[in-house]
Amino acid sequence: SRLDALQAAVLNVKLPHLSRWVERRSAIAARYREALESCSGVTLPDAASAAGVGHAWNQYVVRVRLCPDSQPNCAGACRDATSEFGLPSSRCRDWLKQSLQEQGVNTIIYYPIPIHRQPAYADQQLAPGSLPVTEQLCSEVLSLPIFPELSLEQQDQVIAVLRTLLARNAQAERMVAFHRLGLLAFIEALIFIAILVVALAYAWRKG
């Protein structure tokens, strides 16, 4: 075992508190879901799959979906960065992480590079796209603060900042959809006018 005597002694003291800590983590996870489940732009952990199976909530990992290229949901801040590991764009996740950091909320990306794209496995010659689901997940995951000592006030701050940022994104999504509908209506009107002009010209020539 890699557990030395000192670590074993420390864990022996902590072990009686484990159940209480897990309960606290579960309560924090439940509060996140209740507060964020209606927010656009993030996918929360599946609570149903965790119910009744003793989930320890060591991490609370959300997925930040990639916005359309034309969507200014972060005022142009979510710009693509070249990845040396050939992963899908993570511009929206990276923008959200940076924005949270600027407002005092620390988040973590535990697994930014999938195993098959690690330099140690280069000899396997697994090209970008060889495991597309894994690569997509690595470009979207973001872990929110979750630990037994997290106070209600601290979690409220995390939730408030997230909801503000994601609400801004949702508003931008609606604006993009509105502009797209407007453009589509404009194109349809041009097509109708063109058909009408052709029909009138044909009728005039026949007359």
Side-chain angles (χ1 to χ4, degrees):
S1 172
R2 293 185 297 174
L3 188 66
D4 58 42
L6 179 59
Q7 290 176 315
V10 171
L11 291 177
N12 194 45
V13 173
K14 289 186 173 184
L15 194 57
H17 304 282
L18 181 60
S19 296
R20 177 169 54 86
W21 288 341
V22 171
E23 289 177 4
R24 177 64 187 137
R25 286 176 177 270
S26 297
I28 293 170
R31 277 192 96 220
Y32 273 140
R33 170 159 287 278
E34 182 180 358
L36 301 175
E37 62 183 349
S38 62
C39 291
S40 173
V42 294
T43 302
L44 305 180
D46 187 356
S49 65
V53 296
H55 200 303
W57 294 107
N58 181 52
Q59 301 167 14
Y60 193 86
V61 184
V62 301
R63 293 172 56 189
V64 184
R65 297 196 304 269
L66 188 66
C67 66
D69 291 338
S70 59
Q71 178 180 317
N73 64 343
C74 51
C78 65
R79 295 171 182 164
D80 275 328
T82 302
S83 172
E84 61 179 306
F85 300 100
L87 300 179
S89 174
S90 60
R91 66 176 185 269
C92 292
R93 187 270 310 276
D94 297 342
W95 164 77
L96 185 60
K97 185 180 190 309
Q98 179 64 32
S99 298
L100 287 167
Q101 178 71 41
E102 290 171 355
Q103 299 195 48
V105 177
N106 291 320
T107 58
I108 299 176
I109 303 170
Y110 282 100
Y111 310 108
I113 307 168
I115 291 177
H116 71 288
R117 297 298 299 156
Q118 297 276 357
Y121 292 88
D123 63 318
Q124 299 297 314
Q125 298 182 347
L126 295 171
S130 54
L131 295 175
V133 175
T134 299
E135 294 169 10
Q136 188 66 44
L137 288 173
C138 280
S139 71
E140 294 177 349
V141 293
L142 185 66
S143 295
L144 303 183
I146 185 167
F147 49 92
E149 297 80 11
L150 185 70
S151 68
L152 294 179
E153 292 77 13
Q154 289 171 324
Q155 189 179 17
D156 285 341
Q157 180 189 359
V158 176
I159 291 170
V161 174
L162 263 172
R163 294 185 70 166
T164 298
L165 292 169
L166 295 174
R168 189 183 307 163
N169 290 2
Q171 182 179 9
E173 286 180 357
R174 289 192 293 269
M175 289 298 296
V176 169
F178 175 78
H179 288 307
R180 285 178 176 170
L181 287 174
L183 179 60
L184 180 61
F186 178 70
I187 293 173
E188 290 176 346
L190 287 179
I191 293 174
F192 175 77
I193 292 173
I195 293 174
L196 182 61
V197 169
V198 170
L200 290 174
Y202 179 78
W204 181 77
R205 293 183 64 183
K206 289 284 288 185

